[in-house]
């Protein structure tokens, strides 16, 4: 289980998240929705261990182990994954070179054919592997490549920061497909999103948590997401 | 005063024309200027007739290797069978292995000789040797011409196509151990060959200054690829000079990896594209660390129509290292429809490191097209974070970014050296070198 207990986070001394609680079991989908500036990305970054985000209170428990003091790379190696809302463009590192190294460092077999198949599944031709990391990729291509990495790493838990923002209809299908596949493999997912749209493509039940002003204001099932879609985050 | 240059030439039994050239150069030495781009060196302190000014322990077998050198070879991952070569333990000129290599090459149309033997044997070499680097050019050229004391001659005969790379360093030790070694390479019409000079590990040398020179003639339709690997020990100052002349439809491709500059290195490389359709591409990476200092000068002259020149340099600088990159492509009045491009860059791994680029293009031919781009940067924090979020420690992330950065150059370097070069890149990135 992946558990967030009473988590409070500050950036440069300003409190951004207050007393967040979340329990994710293998294969479960937890959707975090909330307006701009509600603390969604802060939550993702804090769970992953970005050094800029300071945990002032609470714990992050991954399968019984408190990981809140661990550096990012150790969290990843223990089976936590995050897809970035704005994946960085690294214009001097080939995607394939990058992936091979990442797989090696995470104890996976760096098999080029397998990488190609997963990329193809995400609608990304082999050519993307020869390009530099995210360099010149469209918004949708970047997000699809992020989720291809999730499929390759097959993490225990994945935090997906707005994988559906700024993508076209085709990309949306690939992204939803990757989420469904990961869930069916038993990956527990925390999906951060603005829109309920992507949830129509998810083949199973899920939990919804509404984040606003750095706090979880409401929790429920798919019906809550529908309500948000119709009425917005009004109250 | 007796001429040291004459004495040296006579001692070696050189032909008169070469001795006279030495003497002329020696006369010019005092007044010759240092090249503008390259850090001067006090040359008067070296004895051209001596055996070297660096005290080194006598090394007769691998057991005598000093501890620090042994550790470095291990750290770099240099295979043990190469250690002997690095330490100069193999007298390769006479070893049976090399003799059979030479016989094998000879059958394929390659002549490999020490330069001294070559100038004695082939009188026509007087039209080639030292012609591409007139001693009047600068003080280093004058010093080198006056006091060169070893070297190699390689002649790829007309139409010969050599599939295996020729190791200049391995074939003749005299050149590698000399203070002023001279390589003369002639690729005759239509010949194809690859040369590898140097190795990834620092050679143990007994002179604290090395003023080497290489002249390369690429004749009509010949294709030459050169791979230069340099990793000088920290007590050495080097000023290597290379000049290449390419005739019609000839091609030269050079990949340079400067893995350690020694105390200071001033590389000067100049390519003249003399014939129609001639091409030159030069890719270079350099690692400059600790207190090392590098002046790297690369110039291509487009002197005929439809010629093409490309210079790509990449520097990785850390600690208190200083790197200056001078790149220049110039098209002359006959260079119609010629093209040239310069891409030079450097990344600094910490705040003490310095990198300066001076890219320059000059054209007096209206139909030629010359472009350049340059940048000096740092590894971005955001890229590091991204890689760390993918399971790489900060050190590993930095090493991967450095490896990725040099990849466009390393892909031109033969596979057998890549492992060591990437290992050096990693050591530089992690600060353990």
């Amino acid at each position: 289980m992946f558990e967030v207990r009473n988590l409070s986070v500050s950036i440069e001394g300003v409190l951004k998240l207050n007393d967040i609680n979340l329990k994710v079991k293998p294969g479960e989908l937890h959707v975090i929705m909330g307006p701009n500036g509600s603390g969604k990305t802060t939550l993702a970054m804090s769970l992953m261990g970005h050094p800029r985000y300071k945990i002032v209170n609470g714990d992050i428990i991954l399968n019984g182990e408190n990981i809140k003091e661990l550096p990012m790379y150790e969290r990843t190696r223990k089976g936590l994954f995050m897809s970035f809302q704005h994946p960085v463009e690294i214009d001097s590192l080939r995607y394939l070179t990058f992936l091979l190294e990442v797989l090696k460092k995470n104890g996976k077999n760096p098999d080029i054919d397998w990488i190609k198949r997963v990329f193809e599944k995400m609608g990304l031709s082999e050519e993307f592997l020869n390009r530099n990391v995210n360099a010149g990729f469209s918004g949708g291509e970047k997000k699809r490549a992020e989720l291809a990495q999730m499929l390759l790493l097959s993490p225990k838990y994945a935090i997906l920061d707005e994988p559906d923002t700024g993508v076209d209809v085709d990309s949306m299908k690939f992204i939803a497909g990757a989420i469904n596949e990961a869930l069916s493999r038993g990956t527990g997912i925390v999906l951060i999103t603005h829109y309920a749209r992507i949830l129509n493509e998810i083949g199973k039940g899920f939990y919804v948590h509404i984040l606003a002003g750095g706090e979880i204001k409401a929790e429920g099932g798919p019906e809550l997401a529908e309500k948000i879609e119709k009425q917005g985050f009004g109250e | 005063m007796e001429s040291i240059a004459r004495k040296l030439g006579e001692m070696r039994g050189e032909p008169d024309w070469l001795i006279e050239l030495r003497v002329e150069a020696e006369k010019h030495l005092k007044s010759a200027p240092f090249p503008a781009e390259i850090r001067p060196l006090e040359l008067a302190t070296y004895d051209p007739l001596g055996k070297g000014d660096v005290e080194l322990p006598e090394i007769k077998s691998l057991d005598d290797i000093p501890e620090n050198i042994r550790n470095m070879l291990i750290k770099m991952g240099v295979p043990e069978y190469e250690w002997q070569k690095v330490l100069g333990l193999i007298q390769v000129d006479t070893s049976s292995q090399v003799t059979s290599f030479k016989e094998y090459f000879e059958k394929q149309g390659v002549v490999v000789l020490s330069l001294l033997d070559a100038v004695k044997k082939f009188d026509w070499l007087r039209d080639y040797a030292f012609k591409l680097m007139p001693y009047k050019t600068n003080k280093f050229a004058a010093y080198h011409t006056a006091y060169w004391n070893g070297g190699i001659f390689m002649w790829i005969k007309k139409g010969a196509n050599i599939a295996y790379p020729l190791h200049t360093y391995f074939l003749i030790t005299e050149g590698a151990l000399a203070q002023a070694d001279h390589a003369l390479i002639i690729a005759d019409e239509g010949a194809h060959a690859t040369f590898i000079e140097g190795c990834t590990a620092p050679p143990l040398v007994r002179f604290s200054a090395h003023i080497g020179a290489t002249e390369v003639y690429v004749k009509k339709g010949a294709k030459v690829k050169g791979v230069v690997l340099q990793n000088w020990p920290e007590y050495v100052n080097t000023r290597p000079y290379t000049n290449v002349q390419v005739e019609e439809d000839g091609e030269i491709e050079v990949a340079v990896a400067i893995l350690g500059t020694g105390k200071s290195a001033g590389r000067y490389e100049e390519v003249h594209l003399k014939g129609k359709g001639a091409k030159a591409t030069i890719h270079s990476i350099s690692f400059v660390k600790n207190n090392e200092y590098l002046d790297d000068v690369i110039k291509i002259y487009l002197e005929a129509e439809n010629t093409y020149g490309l210079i790509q340099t990449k520097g990785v600088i850390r600690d208190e290292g200083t790197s200056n990159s001078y790149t220049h492509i110039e098209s002359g009045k006959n260079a119609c429809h010629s093209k040239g491009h310069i891409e030079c860059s450097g990344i600094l791994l910490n705040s003490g490191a310095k990198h300066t680029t001076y890219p320059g293009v000059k054209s007096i031919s209206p139909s030629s097209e010359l472009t350049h781009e340059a940048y000096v940067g740092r590894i971005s924090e955001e890229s590091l974070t991204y890689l760390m979020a993918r399971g790489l420690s900060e050190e590993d992330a930095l090493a991967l970014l450095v490896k990725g950065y040099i990849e466009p150059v390393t892909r031109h370097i033969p596979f057998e050296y890549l492992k060591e070069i990437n290992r050096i890149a990693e050591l530089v990135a992690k600060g353990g070198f």
Side-chain angles (χ1 to χ4, degrees):
Chain A
M1 189 153 72
F2 181 57
E3 204 181 342
V4 181
R5 285 185 199 152
N6 310 106
L7 189 73
S8 297
V9 173
S10 69
I11 305 173
E12 284 150 15
V14 182
L15 195 68
K16 295 287 181 180
L17 289 177
N18 187 26
D19 201 30
I20 305 291
N21 286 282
L22 197 62
K23 279 184 186 175
V24 185
K25 287 183 186 152
E28 279 184 2
L29 175 62
H30 288 255
V31 182
I32 312 274
M33 300 182 80
N36 278 332
S38 60
K40 300 190 301 295
T41 292
T42 301
L43 178 61
M45 291 291 194
S46 314
L47 296 182
M48 205 57 217
H50 192 294
R52 211 169 79 99
Y53 300 80
K54 194 170 162 14
I55 294 177
V56 291
N57 189 40
D59 296 299
I60 304 165
I61 315 286
L62 178 63
N63 289 342
E65 184 189 355
N66 197 340
I67 59 166
K68 76 164 177 176
E69 305 285 350
L70 293 183
M72 293 177 99
Y73 72 94
E74 283 188 30
R75 297 184 197 201
T76 307
R77 290 184 195 178
K78 284 183 184 295
L80 196 62
F81 176 85
M82 173 183 162
S83 79
F84 283 77
Q85 187 185 352
H86 302 291
V88 62
E89 295 191 12
I90 308 179
D91 57 14
S92 57
L93 179 61
R94 221 155 59 100
Y95 217 113
L96 184 63
T97 310
F98 157 71
L99 281 181
L100 291 173
E101 189 73 12
V102 166
L103 289 174
K104 260 186 257 170
K105 285 287 181 307
N106 286 283
K108 310 273 178 201
N109 181 19
D111 176 349
I112 295 178
D113 288 332
W114 173 50
I115 293 172
K116 281 184 196 163
R117 283 201 302 277
V118 172
F119 259 59
E120 203 176 313
K121 193 193 287 178
M122 293 306 293
L124 297 168
S125 67
E126 211 175 311
E127 181 236 341
F128 284 89
L129 291 168
N130 284 318
R131 283 164 63 177
N132 288 323
V133 175
N134 294 318
F137 288 26
S138 72
E141 287 159 354
K142 281 182 189 168
K143 301 289 174 77
R144 277 189 261 161
E146 289 287 288
L147 292 212
Q149 289 184 46
M150 174 183 73
L151 293 179
L152 286 166
L153 287 170
S154 207
K156 295 189 177 87
Y157 296 93
I159 304 148
L160 311 179
D161 191 4
E162 300 195 20
D164 53 338
T165 304
V167 307
D168 51 49
V169 181
D170 281 345
S171 287
M172 186 73 94
K173 288 210 169 82
F174 285 114
I175 288 160
I179 294 174
N180 282 325
E181 182 176 338
L183 288 170
S184 70
R185 276 196 226 157
T187 296
I189 293 180
V190 176
L191 170 63
I192 294 170
T193 181
H194 264 301
Y195 316 103
R197 201 173 47 173
I198 190 169
L199 302 172
N200 299 329
E201 312 272 344
I202 301 298
K204 60 181 284 184
F206 51 84
Y207 305 87
V208 177
H209 312 261
I210 306 301
L211 188 66
E215 291 178 4
I216 290 184
K217 303 283 192 197
E219 291 180 303
E223 76 291 342
L224 185 56
E226 260 170 57
K227 196 174 149 201
I228 296 289
E229 182 80 342
K230 286 195 190 111
Q231 301 172 5
F233 293 106
E235 46 203 274
Chain B
M1 201 183 77
E2 200 198 0
S3 161
I4 297 171
R6 181 177 299 282
K7 196 173 168 190
L8 188 59
E10 281 170 357
M11 252 165 51
R12 290 162 53 84
E14 289 171 3
D16 288 343
W17 66 266
L18 197 48
I19 295 175
E20 292 314 316
L21 186 67
R22 280 183 184 274
V23 174
E24 286 304 309
E26 188 181 45
K27 278 184 200 154
H28 193 70
L29 180 58
K30 245 206 174 109
S31 61
F34 281 108
E37 301 94 341
I38 288 176
R39 184 189 262 194
L41 200 58
E42 185 51 71
L43 294 167
T45 51
Y46 303 105
D47 173 12
L49 299 172
K51 287 203 177 309
D53 58 322
V54 178
E55 288 283 334
L56 283 176
E58 185 112 4
I59 296 174
K60 288 212 171 99
S61 78
L62 290 183
D63 298 336
D64 302 331
I65 301 178
E67 193 64 23
N68 56 337
I69 292 166
R70 175 182 293 273
N71 288 342
M72 186 173 53
L73 292 171
I74 293 170
K75 216 156 140 186
M76 281 175 53
V78 176
E80 221 168 295
Y81 61 83
E82 283 195 358
W83 291 17
Q84 303 210 6
K85 187 168 89 189
V86 173
L87 299 166
L89 279 174
I90 314 177
Q91 289 304 311
V92 291
D93 295 357
T94 52
S95 80
S96 60
Q97 193 190 5
V98 170
T99 311
S100 62
F101 260 132
K102 282 185 188 169
E103 281 168 7
Y104 173 72
F105 286 135
E106 200 120 16
K107 271 184 212 152
Q108 303 201 13
V110 184
V111 173
V112 182
L113 287 170
S114 80
L115 188 56
L116 181 59
D117 290 343
V119 290
K120 285 180 188 167
K121 191 169 173 183
F122 305 117
D123 189 52
W124 53 270
L125 280 183
R126 67 166 77 201
D127 295 331
Y128 289 86
F130 300 90
K131 289 289 181 209
L132 293 184
M133 51 165 313
Y135 61 82
K136 284 184 179 157
T137 315
N138 61 58
K139 210 181 263 307
F140 296 125
Y143 184 92
H144 177 88
T145 309
Y147 303 133
W148 73 278
N149 56 351
I152 186 168
F153 170 62
M154 283 195 170
W155 175 24
I156 322 301
K157 290 188 176 169
K158 209 169 170 176
N161 189 345
I162 311 305
Y164 302 96
L166 300 161
H167 292 252
T168 59
Y169 186 85
F170 182 65
L171 286 168
I172 292 199
T173 42
E174 192 202 19
L177 300 176
Q179 190 205 7
D181 62 298
H182 192 95
L184 172 59
I185 294 171
I186 300 175
D188 234 318
E189 289 186 11
H192 289 210
T194 298
F195 296 92
I196 295 174
E197 183 196 313
C199 61
T200 53
L204 281 182
V205 289
R206 290 172 192 274
F207 287 94
S208 64
H210 277 254
I211 320 291
T214 304
E215 296 175 281
V216 184
Y217 292 85
V218 181
K219 301 232 169 178
K220 193 175 172 184
K223 286 188 172 50
V224 168
K225 189 175 171 183
V227 178
V228 180
L229 305 162
Q230 289 184 341
N231 192 356
W232 292 95
E234 77 289 347
Y235 55 85
V236 174
N237 295 292
T238 64
R239 298 292 181 270
Y241 179 95
T242 302
N243 199 319
V244 183
Q245 183 176 298
V246 188
E247 293 178 12
E248 191 176 330
D249 292 325
E251 268 183 56
I252 178 110
E253 185 192 332
V254 185
V256 183
I258 301 171
L259 306 166
T261 70
K263 205 179 212 170
S264 75
R267 269 190 81 249
Y268 190 101
E269 179 156 1
E270 198 171 292
V271 180
H272 293 265
L273 301 178
K274 296 254 177 214
K276 276 187 221 168
K279 271 171 84 172
T281 54
I282 300 174
H283 304 276
S284 152
I285 40 166
S286 51
F287 297 105
V288 184
K289 61 211 176 289
N290 304 325
N291 283 310
E292 292 179 345
Y293 180 93
L294 173 68
D295 290 318
D296 193 14
V297 185
I298 304 174
K299 297 180 178 179
I300 298 179
Y301 294 87
L302 311 174
E303 295 168 11
E305 31 180 302
N306 287 313
T307 48
Y308 172 80
L310 170 75
I311 302 173
Q312 180 188 47
T313 69
K314 285 176 176 276
V316 179
I317 302 100
R318 75 166 296 139
D319 309 320
E320 304 288 309
T322 303
S323 165
N324 299 310
S325 167
Y326 302 82
T327 47
H328 185 80
I329 299 186
E330 190 168 326
S331 68
K333 61 181 190 308
N334 298 323
C336 325
H337 310 294
S338 291
K339 280 184 181 163
H341 182 65
I342 295 174
E343 184 199 318
C344 56
S345 69
I347 48 169
L348 307 175
L349 299 186
N350 58 292
S351 61
K354 286 186 285 294
H355 182 74
T356 316
T357 70
Y358 303 88
V361 291
K362 180 180 171 187
S363 175
I364 53 166
S365 158
S367 64
S368 68
E369 193 185 313
L370 304 182
T371 51
H372 71 78
E373 50 188 303
Y375 72 88
V376 179
R378 273 169 208 288
I379 297 278
S380 85
E381 204 61 40
E382 223 189 336
S383 304
L384 278 176
T385 302
Y386 185 74
L387 296 185
M388 282 153 74
R390 291 295 175 259
L392 275 67
S393 67
E394 189 169 357
E395 280 194 333
D396 288 337
L398 190 58
L400 181 64
L401 288 170
V402 168
K403 206 172 118 185
Y405 169 69
I406 62 172
E407 200 180 36
V409 174
T410 53
R411 73 169 69 119
H412 300 278
I413 290 172
F415 185 71
E416 66 259 40
Y417 298 101
L418 272 193
K419 204 174 147 200
E420 281 157 60
I421 290 173
N422 281 329
R423 181 80 190 117
I424 289 169
E426 202 178 314
L427 289 171
V428 171
K430 292 180 177 179
F433 191 54

